[in-house]
Amino acid sequence: MVFVVMGTDEMCIYEFLKTSANEFATEREISRRAAGKKRFRDDQNWARPILFRMVKDEILETDGCGQYRVRLRAEPKTPQKLTMENWESWQLVLDDDSAENRDQTKRRS
């Protein structure tokens, strides 16, 4: 697990993009809406270097056309239903840690 320290600007951008997590937003829209109108009037391109850094740190993802969104997490794999057609591909996996824990609890009893 990787922890990334975000500054105020990064938090503003992240919170803005999190409100519509599945939709891409343009760099201009992010610059205009993430930190307020005054910040946008002072510097219209203030978000550009921050967006590049957040993409590099894998917090955001881009579609290659100047649009950004919060990086989606991988969906957990749901187990496939066991049928007669796929039974050969199934494997039983035992977790060694859980077996050791069971042995230790039996000894304590």
Side-chain angles (χ1 to χ4, degrees):
M1 182 180 291
V2 177
F3 294 100
V4 177
V5 178
M6 290 193 282
T8 306
D9 293 335
E10 288 92 348
M11 290 299 293
C12 288
I13 292 171
Y14 182 79
E15 291 298 322
F16 169 70
L17 290 174
K18 192 170 70 170
T19 59
S20 58
N22 292 333
E23 299 177 18
F24 285 96
T26 62
E27 181 181 310
R28 182 171 175 84
E29 182 181 3
I30 294 167
S31 294
R32 188 179 62 207
R33 297 179 64 195
K37 294 178 184 178
K38 185 179 183 319
R39 179 80 186 263
F40 181 70
R41 275 187 252 131
D42 292 344
D43 182 14
Q44 293 184 1
N45 296 318
W46 68 269
R48 178 173 287 161
I50 299 165
L51 290 168
F52 288 145
R53 185 171 48 240
M54 291 176 80
V55 169
K56 188 181 104 185
D57 291 339
E58 297 180 354
I59 299 169
L60 302 179
E61 61 185 4
T62 182
D63 65 351
C65 297
Q67 297 184 349
Y68 300 87
R69 72 176 176 186
V70 174
R71 186 175 177 94
L72 301 176
R73 292 183 179 175
E75 293 182 16
K77 290 185 177 180
T78 56
Q80 191 178 23
K81 186 176 180 180
L82 182 59
T83 63
M84 292 305 290
E85 290 81 30
N86 67 3
W87 70 272
E88 292 175 340
S89 64
W90 281 72
Q91 294 179 359
L92 178 62
V93 178
L94 296 175
D95 187 13
D96 292 336
D97 294 334
S98 63
E100 290 175 8
N101 290 337
R102 283 192 304 262
D103 291 341
Q104 290 176 358
T105 56
K106 286 180 183 177
R107 290 179 194 154
R108 293 180 190 162
S109 303

